[in-house]
């Protein structure tokens, strides 16, 4: 089970002077290409899903594939919501399996950004999930020409960064030091002095958005100054696009599969190149030693009911699936009836938590308490409840 705590992962990178690639994925070819690169180079990897890309894929379906890819990998993986726009998006991402979330309220005035970010941090930390915040403005749009989105860079200031991190409790900070999202002409000018001061002030893993188009020297200096997570998309998308264009030029190319042939390989090559440049190649074994695995917890309740007919039991279960399934950190609510007639308990709840932190936050959550006090406990005097942590730690 190589899904690991993203906080542990980025701390290791911070303390050992390298950066982990956070590659945005939009399809199975991207997942395959990125994971193959990480496996081949024995590198930790962050698979990111950007809310700005949700028009191009079904978040729910792609998350299932990303999680499966992480489970079967041998290298440490974190799954991240990139540019999350709201508290609701962050809850949805955690409940679908993200092990880190970004809250992007950087377009708001500082104090509003703080309030918005703080709410996400409180919710996510109660689920044991780390949060990336952003200060300043990195213009452009992933996957598009930077010239089409010519906003001005707003640089992160040292004073704001200190205040924001203290007031919000974010685990990682995305800083604006001159990068731009998307395809650029030429290399951007980066403010390394500013980055060095932010790093000295905060002592916290830093994140760079808009990795596409930066040179190896620039990456080296970013990493020297505390950058441990590099967000990268446009160059992967362009490698995929070039491959499709080349396929289209071949006389035999007709039909979808021929058009996308080799796309995952093209993405793999570009991701592997970055992994080498960012120094994360060959870090997998040391990182697995250092990082806590992310283990789901199954909250198991078996029970018998009194004073409810069959319809009443079904209604109570349906209400529980709806209410409890929306609580932050709840991955799935299974309700079941005993198959054997002589079972000591007739019914069950299996509530899967994202991790052990959710045991407390779920118990105390107002929606859980209301459901338990009004719908469940009055009819289920006879019950047994146990939390089980996944025993498959991957070792
Ligand atoms: P690029 O598309 O410029 O690589 O930036 C990606 C990014 O920052 C995603 O958050």
């Amino acid at each position: 089970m190589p899904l690991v705590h993203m906080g542990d992962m980025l701390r290791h990178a911070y303390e050992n002077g390298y950066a982990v690639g956070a590659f945005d994925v939009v399809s199975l070819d991207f997942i395959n290409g990125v994971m193959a690169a990480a496996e081949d180079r024995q590198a930790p990897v962050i698979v990111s899903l950007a809310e700005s890309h949700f028009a191009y894929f079904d978040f729910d379906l792609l998350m299932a594939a990303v999680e499966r890819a992480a489970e079967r990998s041998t290298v440490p993986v974190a799954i991240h919501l990139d540019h999350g726009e709201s508290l609701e998006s962050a809850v949805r991402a955690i409940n679908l399996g993200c092990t880190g979330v970004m809250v992007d309220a950087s377009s708001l005035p500082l104090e509003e950004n703080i309030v918005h970010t703080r709410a996400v941090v409180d919710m996510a930390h109660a689920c044991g999930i780390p949060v990336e915040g952003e200060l300043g403005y990195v213009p452009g749009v992933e996957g598009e020409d930077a010239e089409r989105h010519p906003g001005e860079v707003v640089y992160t200031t040292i004073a704001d960064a200190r205040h924001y991190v203290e007031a919000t409790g974010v685990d990682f900070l995305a800083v604006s030091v001159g990068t731009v999202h998307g395809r650029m002409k030429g290399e951007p000018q980066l403010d390394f002095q500013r980055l060095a001061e932010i790093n000295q002030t905060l002592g916290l893993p830093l994140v760079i958005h808009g990795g596409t188009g930066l040179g190896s020297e620039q990456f080296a200096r970013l990493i020297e100054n505390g950058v441990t997570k590099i967000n990268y998309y446009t160059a992967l998308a362009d490698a995929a696009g070039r491959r499709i264009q080349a396929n289209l030029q071949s006389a035999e190319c007709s039909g979808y599969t021929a058009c996308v042939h080799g796309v995952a390989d093209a993405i793999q090559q570009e991701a592997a190149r970055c992994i080498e440049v960012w120094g994360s190649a060959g870090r997998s074994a040391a990182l697995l030693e250092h990082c806590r695995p992310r283990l789901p917890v199954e909250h198991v309740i078996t029970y018998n009911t009194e004073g409810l007919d069959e319809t009443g039991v079904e209604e109570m279960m349906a209400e529980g699936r709806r209410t409890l399934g929306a609580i932050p950190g709840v991955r799935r609510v299974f309700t079941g009836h005993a198959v054997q007639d002589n079972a000591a308990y007739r019914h069950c709840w299996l509530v899967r938590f994202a991790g052990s932190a959710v045991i407390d936050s779920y118990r105390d959550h107002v929606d859980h308490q209301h459901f338990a006090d009004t719908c469940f406990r009055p009819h289920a005097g006879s019950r047994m409840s146990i939390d089980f942590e996944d025993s498959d730690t991957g070792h």
Side-chain angles (χ1 to χ4, degrees), residues 24 82-83 142-143 180-182 209-212 231-234:
D24 280 336
D82 191 19
H83 293 287
E142 300 86 349
V180 170
H181 288 111
H209 284 246
T212 296
N231 285 25
Y232 206 73
Y233 172 70
T234 305

Side-chain angles (χ1 to χ4, degrees), residues 159-227:
D160 283 357
R162 184 194 287 119
H163 174 49
Y164 174 84
V165 168
E166 278 172 10
T168 60
V170 291
D171 303 86
F172 329 116
L173 183 67
V175 290
S176 176
V177 292
T179 57
V180 170
H181 288 111
R183 211 172 290 114
M184 283 171 299
K185 285 202 175 127
E187 275 187 6
Q189 298 302 309
L190 302 187
D191 189 341
F192 291 110
Q193 181 58 35
R194 179 185 298 268
L195 181 67
E197 285 176 37
I198 294 173
N199 185 34
Q200 276 153 21
T201 307
L202 301 181
L204 185 92
L206 300 177
V207 179
I208 281 294
H209 284 246
T212 296
L214 302 182
S216 304
E217 286 264 302
Q218 288 181 312
F219 282 128
R221 289 187 71 188
L222 289 171
I223 294 165
E224 252 169 50
N225 289 296
V227 169

Side-chain angles (χ1 to χ4, degrees), residues 148-390:
R148 288 185 51 211
H149 304 275
E152 283 296 304
V153 176
V154 178
Y155 289 87
T156 309
T157 70
I158 291 111
D160 283 357
R162 184 194 287 119
H163 174 49
Y164 174 84
V165 168
E166 278 172 10
T168 60
V170 291
D171 303 86
F172 329 116
L173 183 67
V175 290
S176 176
V177 292
T179 57
V180 170
H181 288 111
R183 211 172 290 114
M184 283 171 299
K185 285 202 175 127
E187 275 187 6
Q189 298 302 309
L190 302 187
D191 189 341
F192 291 110
Q193 181 58 35
R194 179 185 298 268
L195 181 67
E197 285 176 37
I198 294 173
N199 185 34
Q200 276 153 21
T201 307
L202 301 181
L204 185 92
L206 300 177
V207 179
I208 281 294
H209 284 246
T212 296
L214 302 182
S216 304
E217 286 264 302
Q218 288 181 312
F219 282 128
R221 289 187 71 188
L222 289 171
I223 294 165
E224 252 169 50
N225 289 296
V227 169
T228 59
K229 171 176 180 280
I230 297 175
N231 285 25
Y232 206 73
Y233 172 70
T234 305
L236 300 184
D238 285 354
R242 280 193 299 277
R243 182 67 210 216
I244 292 169
Q245 275 166 350
N247 289 342
L248 287 171
Q249 266 146 35
S250 130
E252 296 100 71
C253 180
S254 64
Y256 175 79
T257 42
C259 290
V260 297
H261 179 72
V263 163
D265 296 341
I267 291 168
Q268 177 181 348
Q269 266 182 30
E270 177 57 12
R273 186 189 70 79
C274 294
I275 284 170
E276 291 290 344
V277 172
W278 300 339
S280 56
R283 304 280 185 173
S284 170
L287 196 58
L288 278 172
E289 287 284 304
H290 167 91
C291 290
R292 288 164 292 162
R294 284 223 64 100
L295 299 173
V297 164
E298 206 75 56
H299 176 62
V300 179
I301 300 177
T302 51
Y303 62 99
N304 291 319
T305 54
E306 300 128 36
L308 281 182
D309 60 12
E310 259 180 47
T311 313
V313 172
E314 295 305 334
E315 282 172 2
M316 187 255 297
M317 287 179 163
E319 176 58 18
R321 287 193 297 271
R322 195 185 62 74
T323 313
L324 305 177
I327 292 175
V330 173
R331 300 288 321 275
R332 183 210 59 183
V333 180
F334 172 94
T335 50
H337 303 297
V339 176
Q340 284 79 15
D341 288 339
N342 60 352
Y345 291 102
R346 304 297 321 143
H347 314 291
C348 79
W349 302 100
L350 302 179
V351 185
R352 175 163 291 205
F353 295 154
S356 55
V358 183
I359 295 172
D360 290 344
S361 57
Y362 172 86
R363 185 195 55 232
D364 298 340
H365 195 280
V366 60
D367 292 343
H368 167 252
Q369 289 189 349
H370 183 257
F371 176 78
D373 290 345
T374 60
C375 295
F376 178 59
R377 289 183 188 133
H379 301 291
S382 158
R383 60 180 187 270
M384 197 176 70
S385 169
I386 304 179
D387 296 302
F388 294 95
E389 188 169 62
D390 192 344

